[in-house]
């Protein structure tokens, strides 16, 4: 495989069509009797079963979704050693073959698309549209980075002068520790793993403790497509397993997506070179945000209201790109708030598997308690404009809430809450809104509703965020169309699903050869 057809995003299912919905529901009916899913610790050809790590359905916590072996520090070491041994063979595997295997893993997922979406519904309470989008994004990453592997293999174009040949090639860095979150339980671990493999690195994947079942599917897809057993390993476990993995001297790259606190800890781990280390650890970190949508006086509120609602409350506000604050021009603030409150009041809180539910539960009890704490703070400091919905009694549900009139120093405005709580603030003008965005340490996504192209240009120039969306919702980045990632404390400035991403997993090497012959060699 030396070339592939041009990349195209995997089309999402049209859920307004009854047959598409029925396919998904049938997959869920087929999955349920198979639960709990046994998830092994999977190092090379060795699979170790266990039950120390359990994931449950956030909407029905008594339903156990996966029962996994829990990896400890020794297992992390064993997995890294196995991955290190496989480096030579995988590096020598032609890029075309690596690309072929990634495309094969995409095909494996495509065939099991409904089954994988059903698992994400059960394990992480992703509503169907989000779960289907998660599978499509995983497929997209495999296909996109397969093409990236071929492009990278061609090397870079350098200046050539007579008597000299200059070449720049991209070599893999070695073992990559992939540490992923639960909120895109298929797409994110697949993306980071596929990128590392595409370049020729070997991988130990430590999926989120809340989603070992989905992590297992990622490794299965790759292994069943033919990726050799030494090249990708599965280490189910919690933070300690992740920390042990990241610390190992043979880990050259830590690819992490998750909270800021853990990401910053990993940057410190990488800086603390262990005795005998021969390589600097590189950290690729995608972290949290506090994403703001700006609404100017000339904005079309018919567009803005539904887009803000879906950005803030889709998947219960648990996308890293979700809207947390709305900064609205004072001339339209009352109108926007009234319409927003009306739209949020009619949202339905319910189980992820129900097509009628707008807001699913949050991931776990701790998350529910955190959101409740912030809603209490919001009620104490500001005015609740919408909230207090009926929510199912069991499960980690939270009512979607809109708060206004908070003091500028409220924690609700500055800390990542990661739940269905949206704050609305009045501003004098868009410049004042930009000042508030600029004052934040986070810079992941942002939005703007405005009709004047000059305002769009002004905000695009000023905003520090990694992804700015204009006159649309601020979630749902597509591979290849919206390369995704944050700046400032939201990330290391990488862009997943973009043309530069693979470079983070590569080591550039330049060879300059003197081609002026000193005598003629005759065989
Ligand atoms: N910027 C992005 O692209 C992006 C995407 C998705 C999620 N996120 C962020 O992720 C967070 C939610 O995910 P989460 O709750 O799974 O995050 P988290 O930081 O709690 O966990 C992420 C991963 O890190 C592991 N981990 C925890 N402690 C560790 C340690 N000390 N050393 C090594 N690994 C450790 C966890 O087990 C998990 O696999 C939010 O902050 C969200 O904004 C960001």
């Amino acid at each position: 495989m030396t070339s592939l057809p041009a990349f195209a995003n995997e089309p999402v299912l049209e859920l307004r069509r009854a047959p598409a919905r029925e396919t998904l529901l049938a997959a869920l009916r087929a999955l349920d009797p198979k639960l709990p899913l046994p998830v092994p610790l999977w190092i090379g050809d060795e699979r170790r079963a266990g039950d120390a790590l359990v994931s449950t359905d956030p909407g029905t916590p008594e339903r156990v979704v996966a029962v996994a072996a829990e990896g400890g520090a020794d297992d992390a070491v064993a997995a890294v050693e196995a991955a290190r041994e496989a480096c030579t063979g995988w590096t020598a595997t032609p890029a075309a073959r690596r690309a072929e295997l990634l495309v094969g893993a995409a095909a494996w997922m495509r065939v099991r698309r409904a089954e994988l979406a059903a698992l994400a519904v059960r394990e992480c309470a992703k509503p169907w549209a989000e779960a289907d989008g998660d599978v499509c994004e995983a497929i997209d990453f495999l296909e996109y980075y397969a093409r990236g592997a071929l492009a990278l293999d061609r090397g870079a174009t350098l200046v050539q002068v007579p008597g000299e040949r200059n070449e720049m090639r991209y070599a893999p860095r070695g073992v990559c520790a992939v540490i992923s979150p639960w909120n895109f339980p298929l797409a994110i671990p697949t993306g980071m793993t596929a990128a590392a493999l595409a370049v020729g690195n070997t991988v130990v994947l430590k999926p989120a403790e809340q989603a070992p079942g989905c992590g297992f599917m990622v490794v299965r897809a790759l292994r069943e497509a033919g990726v050799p057993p030494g090249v990708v390993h599965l280490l189910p476990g919690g933070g300690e397993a992740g920390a042990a993995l990241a610390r190992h001297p043979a880990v050259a790259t830590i690819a992490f997506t998750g909270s800021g606190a853990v990401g910053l800890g990993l940057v410190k781990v990488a800086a603390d070179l262990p005795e005998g280390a021969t390589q600097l650890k590189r950290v690729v970190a995608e972290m949290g945000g506090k994403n703001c949508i700006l609404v100017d006086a000339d904005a079309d509120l018919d567009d803005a209201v539904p887009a803000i609602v879906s950005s803030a409350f889709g998947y219960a506000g648990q996308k890293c790109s979700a809207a947390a604050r709305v900064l609205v021009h004072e001339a339209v603030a009352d109108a926007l708030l009234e319409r927003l409150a009306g739209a949020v009041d009619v949202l339905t809180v319910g189980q992820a598997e129900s097509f009628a539910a707008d807001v699913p539960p949050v991931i776990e009890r701790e998350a529910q308690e955190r959101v409740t704490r912030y809603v209490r703070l919001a009620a104490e400091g500001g005015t609740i404009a919408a909230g207090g919905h009926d929510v199912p009694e069991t499960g980690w549900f939270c009512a979607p809430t809109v708060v206004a009139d908070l003091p500028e120093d409220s924690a609700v405005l500055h800390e990542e809450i990661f739940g269905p709580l949206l704050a609305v603030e009045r501003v004098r003008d868009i410049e004042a809104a930009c000042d508030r965005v600029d004052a934040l340490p986070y810079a992941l996504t942002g939005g703007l509703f405005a009709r004047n192209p000059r305002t769009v240009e002004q905000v695009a120039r000023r905003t520090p965020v990694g992804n700015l969306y204009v006159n649309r919702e601020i979630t749902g980045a597509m591979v290849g169309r919206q390369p995704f990632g944050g700046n400032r404390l939201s990330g290391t400035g990488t862009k997943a699903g973009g043309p530069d991403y693979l470079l983070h997993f590569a080591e550039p090497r330049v060879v300059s050869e003197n081609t002026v012959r000193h005598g003629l060699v005759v065989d």
Side-chain angles (χ1 to χ4, degrees):
M1 182 178 288
T2 48
S3 72
L4 284 165
F7 172 78
N9 295 107
E10 190 67 17
V12 294
L13 286 177
E14 288 195 45
L15 296 183
R16 66 199 162 84
R17 297 192 190 282
R21 295 198 300 273
E22 185 43 43
T23 306
L24 294 175
L25 292 172
L28 192 66
R29 285 194 296 273
L31 175 73
D32 277 344
K34 295 187 204 151
L35 299 181
L37 190 75
V39 174
L41 178 100
W42 200 359
I43 302 178
D45 283 319
E46 299 261 317
R47 286 179 180 225
R48 190 179 86 208
D51 59 6
L53 186 70
V54 162
S55 66
T56 56
D57 177 350
T60 312
E62 60 273 20
R63 176 186 284 129
V64 178
V65 179
V67 170
E70 183 165 20
D74 289 350
D75 299 308
V77 170
V80 175
E81 297 299 334
R84 178 160 57 179
E85 272 176 35
C87 276
T88 312
W90 186 239
T91 302
T93 303
R97 174 67 183 150
R98 295 197 300 263
E100 190 176 18
L101 293 170
L102 295 183
V103 168
W108 188 93
M109 286 192 173
R110 214 173 268 122
V111 170
R112 289 159 189 83
R113 182 172 164 164
E115 186 191 324
L116 294 173
L119 182 59
V121 167
R122 281 290 180 244
E123 197 165 46
C124 298
K126 286 213 117 173
W128 283 115
E130 318 280 352
D132 178 52
D134 205 21
V135 183
C136 289
E137 193 177 354
I139 292 171
D140 282 353
F141 278 133
L142 289 160
E143 293 276 356
Y144 188 80
Y145 296 143
R147 286 154 177 81
L150 299 178
L152 204 67
D153 192 51
R154 290 192 281 272
T157 307
L158 302 180
V159 173
Q160 308 290 345
V161 295
E164 182 181 276
R165 181 162 52 227
N166 297 313
E167 269 182 20
M168 181 149 154
R169 305 174 194 176
Y170 294 97
R173 295 175 46 76
V175 179
C176 178
V178 171
I179 302 174
S180 58
W182 49 266
N183 67 335
F184 286 83
L186 295 159
I188 290 182
T190 301
M192 293 191 288
T193 302
L197 295 180
V199 180
N201 302 279
T202 60
V203 170
V204 180
L205 166 63
K206 208 293 290 167
E209 53 273 38
Q210 297 89 344
C214 288
F216 178 40
M217 290 302 160
V218 174
V219 176
R220 267 190 73 191
L222 291 160
R223 292 281 194 101
E224 299 212 9
V227 173
V231 170
V232 59
H233 310 269
L234 179 69
L235 181 74
E240 279 173 29
L245 184 59
R247 267 197 312 269
H248 195 292
V251 166
T253 310
I254 303 169
F256 168 78
T257 306
S259 61
V262 175
L264 294 181
L266 289 172
V267 170
K268 286 189 191 144
V269 166
D272 191 12
L273 268 198
E275 186 91 6
T278 55
Q279 192 176 17
L280 293 176
K281 283 185 199 287
R282 182 177 292 170
V283 181
V284 176
E286 298 296 336
M287 300 179 284
K290 190 73 187 175
N291 307 313
C292 303
I293 296 182
L294 282 48
V295 182
D296 202 4
D298 66 354
D300 182 342
L301 298 190
D302 288 346
D303 275 347
V305 171
I308 292 171
V309 171
S310 87
S311 301
F313 301 110
Y315 195 29
Q318 300 175 108
K319 296 181 193 176
C320 43
S321 50
R325 296 169 65 176
V326 170
L327 306 172
V328 52
H329 192 292
E330 58 192 8
V332 291
D334 288 338
L336 180 80
L337 192 58
E338 190 190 349
R339 292 179 62 175
L340 213 45
V344 173
D345 274 337
V346 299
L347 292 178
T348 306
V349 181
Q351 296 291 355
E353 72 195 76
S354 158
F355 287 101
D358 300 302
V359 184
V362 293
I363 186 74
E364 57 198 355
R365 182 198 297 273
E366 198 185 84
Q368 188 191 43
E369 288 169 357
R370 184 183 66 241
V371 174
T372 307
R373 217 168 40 241
Y374 278 107
V375 170
R376 206 176 307 125
L377 268 184
E380 284 164 12
T383 310
I384 300 294
H389 301 61
D390 286 337
V391 302
E393 273 173 23
T394 59
W396 316 125
F397 292 93
C398 298
T401 304
V402 178
V403 61
D405 308 326
L406 285 168
E408 264 188 54
D409 62 351
S410 168
V412 175
L413 299 180
H414 298 280
E415 294 168 12
E416 188 184 45
I417 299 167
F418 223 56
L421 173 55
L422 178 71
V424 179
E425 300 153 71
R426 288 161 205 272
V427 287
R428 195 183 59 245
D429 54 22
I430 283 294
E431 202 54 29
C434 287
D435 290 342
R436 289 194 196 180
V437 171
D438 201 23
L440 283 167
Y442 297 111
L444 187 47
T445 64
L448 170 66
F449 284 88
R451 291 187 214 224
N452 187 335
R454 255 183 254 126
T455 312
V456 176
E457 180 49 31
Q458 171 197 0
V459 173
R461 217 177 326 108
R462 270 209 68 183
T463 187
V465 302
N467 289 72
L468 175 72
Y469 296 94
V470 180
N471 292 326
R472 51 155 285 178
E473 67 281 3
I474 67 167
T475 58
M478 302 284 284
V479 170
R481 280 170 59 190
Q482 288 97 20
F484 186 81
N487 300 323
R488 296 192 174 172
L489 296 190
S490 291
T492 43
T494 49
K495 285 273 184 258
D500 305 331
Y501 190 66
L502 293 190
L503 293 175
H504 300 286
F505 298 85
E507 198 169 76
R509 294 182 188 166
V510 172
V511 177
S512 290
E513 185 183 348
N514 175 2
T515 56
V516 179
R517 303 228 169 153
H518 296 275
L520 185 65
V521 179
V522 180
D523 280 334

